Amino acid sequence: MDKNFQEEFTQIIKFKPPLYKQRHQFVKDLVEKYKPKKVADLGCADCSLLRMLKFCSCIEVLAGLDICASVMKEKMHTLSPLPVDYLQPSERSLTVTLHHGSVAQKDPCMLGFDLVTCIELIEHLEEPELKKFPEVVFGFMAPSIVVISTPNSEFNPLLPGVMLYRHPDHKFEWNQAQFQSWALETARCYDYSVEFTGVGQPPTGMEKAGFCTQIGVFVRKYPQTGESVQSEKPTEAVYKTVFKAVYPSLKDEKYLQNAVISEVIFTAQIIKHRLMSKHEEYGDDPERKSKFQPSMDCFSDYLGKLVVEKNMEPFVSGNEIYIPLATIFSFPKVNRLCGTFEKLRKLIAGKVTLSSDGSAVMFNIEHENEEN
Ligand code: SAH
């Protein structure tokens, strides 16, 4: 490489977005493509990749592993659910767990993952650890996809200030041929296919140097069923769990019940409000009194349709307003949350005031007026 040309580049190479963000974006794109449910990040360090991945709605299980507990613990609290997660529980379930241990050791908690990411990890491994790594990740964990990224040493001359390695903890840095031959051999041994790519484009005229970060994406060639994995591979637990967060989810009956009760009351209140305003409007007309009258806005139009088509009319009797459960059930959000009418009845039983036959939500107008 021409020394002057090279020196010129070392002054200006600055990745935008920064390289670590490009690596994380690469993983996110892969998650969006393959939609894995269970993802493990090996060598997760300060959990920044996990923090990004928890927003991918397909993921239900996220795990991090690192040999350095202190670096993981620094920001692990940022993986905890936020108040908004409790106020509006998500439809998916999500569990985030952090383990302290080495990728050179097998632990049953690492079984059953769909995607395993090893971002800038392998170059931190001592030789004996690197030797055990393929058997642990590809032989034991055996996920459908493994992503491995590592520095490409051919790019180093273009980076300012890099003498031997990019980081003092690196035990080696491979050129493209070295990484590819290790990856191809690993893939062959454990029945995976591998494709190479990278992030951090080389400058024009320096394409031969390759990407600054080289990446191998490994895809398992043989099928594997989740249930059989655990029993086939008995191993003792060696990792220490240092963090676990179970996010509130509508899959959990107690959060579903709260969400359904709030939605039922909210829907019933709106219907009641419309009914009361119509009631006031037509108050003197005995023909129209107590009847719901459709108006121009879409909520009322929708209600009007239900009333006409399905005879699910809310009505007033004495000081009570009755809003049929069937009417409330036909509203999309209530319907989606409960699935069946029976489930709606079960979830609100004893929690919402109903008519004596249980067919309608009941409000006392007098009582409400007093409160107002
Ligand atoms: N993946 C992160 C950080 C990479 S730095 C990122 O993309 O930003 C490498 C990390 O691997 C460090 O946190 C280091 O503690 C961890 N590590 C090194 N050897 C390990 C081993 N044998 N098992 C698990 N983690 C290890």
Side-chain angles (χ1 to χ4, degrees), residues 302-330:
Y302 179 62
L303 247 178
K305 242 178 163 178
L306 288 176
V307 168
V308 175
E309 286 172 11
K310 301 187 180 169
N311 197 22
M312 297 195 295
E313 184 174 7
F315 60 94
V316 179
S317 169
N319 280 330
E320 321 283 0
I321 290 186
Y322 294 86
I323 298 150
L325 265 187
T327 307
I328 293 170
F329 180 66
S330 62

Short mmCIF file of all heavy atoms in Angstrom, two decimals, residues 302-330:
data_model
loop_
_atom_site.label_atom_id
_atom_site.label_comp_id
_atom_site.label_asym_id
_atom_site.label_seq_id
_atom_site.Cartn_x
_atom_site.Cartn_y
_atom_site.Cartn_z
N TYR A 302 -71.19 3.67 14.44
CA TYR A 302 -70.88 2.27 14.69
C TYR A 302 -71.87 1.68 15.68
O TYR A 302 -72.45 0.62 15.48
CB TYR A 302 -69.45 2.17 15.22
CG TYR A 302 -69.02 0.77 15.55
CD1 TYR A 302 -68.95 -0.20 14.56
CD2 TYR A 302 -68.69 0.42 16.85
CE1 TYR A 302 -68.56 -1.49 14.85
CE2 TYR A 302 -68.30 -0.88 17.15
CZ TYR A 302 -68.24 -1.82 16.15
OH TYR A 302 -67.85 -3.09 16.45
N LEU A 303 -72.10 2.46 16.75
CA LEU A 303 -73.05 2.00 17.76
C LEU A 303 -74.45 1.85 17.17
O LEU A 303 -75.14 0.86 17.40
CB LEU A 303 -73.12 3.04 18.87
CG LEU A 303 -72.58 2.63 20.23
CD1 LEU A 303 -72.68 3.79 21.19
CD2 LEU A 303 -73.28 1.42 20.76
N GLY A 304 -74.81 2.85 16.35
CA GLY A 304 -76.12 2.84 15.72
C GLY A 304 -76.33 1.58 14.90
O GLY A 304 -77.36 0.94 14.95
N LYS A 305 -75.28 1.20 14.17
CA LYS A 305 -75.32 -0.01 13.34
C LYS A 305 -75.57 -1.24 14.20
O LYS A 305 -76.38 -2.09 13.87
CB LYS A 305 -73.96 -0.17 12.65
CG LYS A 305 -74.04 -0.10 11.16
CD LYS A 305 -72.65 -0.23 10.64
CE LYS A 305 -72.61 -0.59 9.19
NZ LYS A 305 -71.24 -0.66 8.75
N LEU A 306 -74.85 -1.31 15.33
CA LEU A 306 -75.01 -2.46 16.22
C LEU A 306 -76.45 -2.55 16.72
O LEU A 306 -77.05 -3.61 16.78
CB LEU A 306 -74.09 -2.31 17.44
CG LEU A 306 -72.60 -2.49 17.23
CD1 LEU A 306 -71.86 -2.22 18.52
CD2 LEU A 306 -72.31 -3.91 16.76
N VAL A 307 -76.95 -1.35 17.08
CA VAL A 307 -78.30 -1.30 17.63
C VAL A 307 -79.31 -1.79 16.61
O VAL A 307 -80.16 -2.61 16.89
CB VAL A 307 -78.61 0.15 18.08
CG1 VAL A 307 -80.08 0.32 18.38
CG2 VAL A 307 -77.76 0.51 19.28
N VAL A 308 -79.14 -1.28 15.37
CA VAL A 308 -80.10 -1.64 14.32
C VAL A 308 -79.93 -3.10 13.91
O VAL A 308 -80.88 -3.86 13.87
CB VAL A 308 -79.90 -0.70 13.09
CG1 VAL A 308 -80.80 -1.15 11.94
CG2 VAL A 308 -80.22 0.74 13.48
N GLU A 309 -78.66 -3.49 13.65
CA GLU A 309 -78.43 -4.83 13.09
C GLU A 309 -78.56 -5.95 14.12
O GLU A 309 -79.00 -7.03 13.82
CB GLU A 309 -77.02 -4.90 12.49
CG GLU A 309 -76.89 -4.16 11.21
CD GLU A 309 -75.45 -4.08 10.75
OE1 GLU A 309 -74.61 -4.78 11.33
OE2 GLU A 309 -75.19 -3.31 9.81
N LYS A 310 -78.08 -5.69 15.30
CA LYS A 310 -77.98 -6.81 16.24
C LYS A 310 -78.84 -6.67 17.48
O LYS A 310 -78.76 -7.46 18.40
CB LYS A 310 -76.52 -6.98 16.65
CG LYS A 310 -75.63 -7.23 15.45
CD LYS A 310 -74.24 -7.54 15.91
CE LYS A 310 -73.38 -7.78 14.67
NZ LYS A 310 -71.98 -7.84 15.00
N ASN A 311 -79.63 -5.62 17.50
CA ASN A 311 -80.49 -5.41 18.64
C ASN A 311 -79.70 -5.44 19.95
O ASN A 311 -80.04 -6.17 20.87
CB ASN A 311 -81.61 -6.48 18.63
CG ASN A 311 -82.75 -6.06 19.54
OD1 ASN A 311 -82.89 -4.86 19.83
ND2 ASN A 311 -83.52 -7.01 20.00
N MET A 312 -78.61 -4.66 19.96
CA MET A 312 -77.80 -4.63 21.18
C MET A 312 -77.85 -3.22 21.76
O MET A 312 -76.87 -2.57 21.99
CB MET A 312 -76.36 -5.03 20.85
CG MET A 312 -76.29 -6.44 20.34
SD MET A 312 -74.65 -7.12 20.33
CE MET A 312 -73.81 -6.12 19.17
N GLU A 313 -79.06 -2.77 21.96
CA GLU A 313 -79.27 -1.38 22.33
C GLU A 313 -79.06 -1.13 23.82
O GLU A 313 -79.61 -1.83 24.67
CB GLU A 313 -80.70 -1.02 21.96
CG GLU A 313 -81.02 0.41 22.20
CD GLU A 313 -82.42 0.72 21.67
OE1 GLU A 313 -83.12 -0.20 21.26
OE2 GLU A 313 -82.78 1.89 21.68
N PRO A 314 -78.24 -0.11 24.13
CA PRO A 314 -78.16 0.29 25.53
C PRO A 314 -79.49 0.93 25.95
O PRO A 314 -80.18 1.50 25.10
CB PRO A 314 -77.04 1.35 25.54
CG PRO A 314 -76.48 1.40 24.17
CD PRO A 314 -77.44 0.74 23.25
N PHE A 315 -79.86 0.84 27.19
CA PHE A 315 -81.13 1.45 27.59
C PHE A 315 -81.08 1.98 29.02
O PHE A 315 -80.22 1.60 29.81
CB PHE A 315 -82.30 0.46 27.42
CG PHE A 315 -82.15 -0.79 28.24
CD1 PHE A 315 -82.74 -0.89 29.51
CD2 PHE A 315 -81.40 -1.86 27.77
CE1 PHE A 315 -82.59 -2.05 30.26
CE2 PHE A 315 -81.25 -3.02 28.53
CZ PHE A 315 -81.85 -3.11 29.78
N VAL A 316 -82.04 2.88 29.30
CA VAL A 316 -82.13 3.46 30.64
C VAL A 316 -83.36 2.90 31.30
O VAL A 316 -84.41 2.77 30.68
CB VAL A 316 -82.26 5.01 30.52
CG1 VAL A 316 -82.37 5.63 31.91
CG2 VAL A 316 -81.10 5.59 29.74
N SER A 317 -83.21 2.54 32.58
CA SER A 317 -84.37 2.10 33.32
C SER A 317 -84.26 2.67 34.73
O SER A 317 -83.32 2.35 35.45
CB SER A 317 -84.42 0.57 33.33
OG SER A 317 -85.40 0.15 34.25
N GLY A 318 -85.19 3.56 35.05
CA GLY A 318 -85.12 4.24 36.35
C GLY A 318 -83.83 5.04 36.43
O GLY A 318 -83.52 5.83 35.55
N ASN A 319 -83.08 4.76 37.49
CA ASN A 319 -81.81 5.48 37.66
C ASN A 319 -80.63 4.73 37.08
O ASN A 319 -79.49 5.11 37.30
CB ASN A 319 -81.57 5.73 39.15
CG ASN A 319 -82.38 6.90 39.64
OD1 ASN A 319 -82.66 7.83 38.87
ND2 ASN A 319 -82.79 6.84 40.89
N GLU A 320 -80.90 3.64 36.37
CA GLU A 320 -79.79 2.82 35.87
C GLU A 320 -79.69 2.89 34.35
O GLU A 320 -80.70 2.95 33.65
CB GLU A 320 -79.98 1.33 36.23
CG GLU A 320 -80.55 1.05 37.59
CD GLU A 320 -79.54 1.23 38.72
OE1 GLU A 320 -78.38 1.58 38.41
OE2 GLU A 320 -79.91 1.05 39.88
N ILE A 321 -78.43 2.84 33.91
CA ILE A 321 -78.19 2.68 32.48
C ILE A 321 -77.64 1.28 32.29
O ILE A 321 -76.75 0.86 33.05
CB ILE A 321 -77.16 3.70 31.95
CG1 ILE A 321 -77.75 5.10 31.97
CG2 ILE A 321 -76.72 3.36 30.54
CD1 ILE A 321 -76.84 6.13 31.34
N TYR A 322 -78.15 0.58 31.28
CA TYR A 322 -77.67 -0.78 31.00
C TYR A 322 -77.00 -0.80 29.64
O TYR A 322 -77.60 -0.39 28.64
CB TYR A 322 -78.85 -1.77 31.01
CG TYR A 322 -79.48 -1.93 32.38
CD1 TYR A 322 -80.48 -1.05 32.80
CD2 TYR A 322 -79.06 -2.93 33.25
CE1 TYR A 322 -81.05 -1.16 34.05
CE2 TYR A 322 -79.63 -3.06 34.50
CZ TYR A 322 -80.62 -2.17 34.90
OH TYR A 322 -81.17 -2.30 36.15
N ILE A 323 -75.77 -1.29 29.62
CA ILE A 323 -75.06 -1.40 28.33
C ILE A 323 -74.76 -2.87 28.10
O ILE A 323 -73.94 -3.46 28.83
CB ILE A 323 -73.78 -0.55 28.32
CG1 ILE A 323 -74.19 0.92 28.50
CG2 ILE A 323 -73.02 -0.71 27.03
CD1 ILE A 323 -73.18 1.75 29.19
N PRO A 324 -75.45 -3.48 27.14
CA PRO A 324 -75.27 -4.94 26.95
C PRO A 324 -73.81 -5.32 26.76
O PRO A 324 -73.08 -4.65 26.02
CB PRO A 324 -76.09 -5.22 25.69
CG PRO A 324 -77.08 -4.13 25.62
CD PRO A 324 -76.41 -2.92 26.20
N LEU A 325 -73.40 -6.39 27.42
CA LEU A 325 -72.03 -6.90 27.28
C LEU A 325 -71.72 -7.24 25.83
O LEU A 325 -70.59 -7.06 25.37
CB LEU A 325 -71.86 -8.16 28.12
CG LEU A 325 -71.29 -8.01 29.53
CD1 LEU A 325 -71.03 -9.37 30.11
CD2 LEU A 325 -70.01 -7.18 29.51
N ALA A 326 -72.76 -7.73 25.14
CA ALA A 326 -72.56 -8.11 23.72
C ALA A 326 -72.14 -6.89 22.91
O ALA A 326 -71.34 -6.99 21.98
CB ALA A 326 -73.84 -8.72 23.16
N THR A 327 -72.70 -5.71 23.26
CA THR A 327 -72.34 -4.48 22.55
C THR A 327 -70.87 -4.15 22.82
O THR A 327 -70.11 -3.85 21.91
CB THR A 327 -73.22 -3.31 23.04
OG1 THR A 327 -74.57 -3.70 22.94
CG2 THR A 327 -72.97 -2.05 22.24
N ILE A 328 -70.51 -4.25 24.10
CA ILE A 328 -69.13 -3.93 24.48
C ILE A 328 -68.16 -4.93 23.83
O ILE A 328 -67.11 -4.55 23.33
CB ILE A 328 -69.00 -3.93 26.02
CG1 ILE A 328 -69.81 -2.78 26.59
CG2 ILE A 328 -67.54 -3.84 26.46
CD1 ILE A 328 -69.97 -2.79 28.09
N PHE A 329 -68.58 -6.19 23.79
CA PHE A 329 -67.71 -7.24 23.22
C PHE A 329 -67.44 -7.00 21.73
O PHE A 329 -66.41 -7.38 21.19
CB PHE A 329 -68.35 -8.61 23.43
CG PHE A 329 -67.52 -9.75 22.87
CD1 PHE A 329 -66.27 -10.05 23.40
CD2 PHE A 329 -67.99 -10.51 21.81
CE1 PHE A 329 -65.50 -11.08 22.89
CE2 PHE A 329 -67.23 -11.55 21.28
CZ PHE A 329 -65.98 -11.83 21.83
N SER A 330 -68.42 -6.37 21.07
CA SER A 330 -68.25 -6.20 19.62
C SER A 330 -67.30 -5.06 19.28
O SER A 330 -66.96 -4.85 18.12
CB SER A 330 -69.59 -6.01 18.94
OG SER A 330 -70.15 -4.84 19.46
#
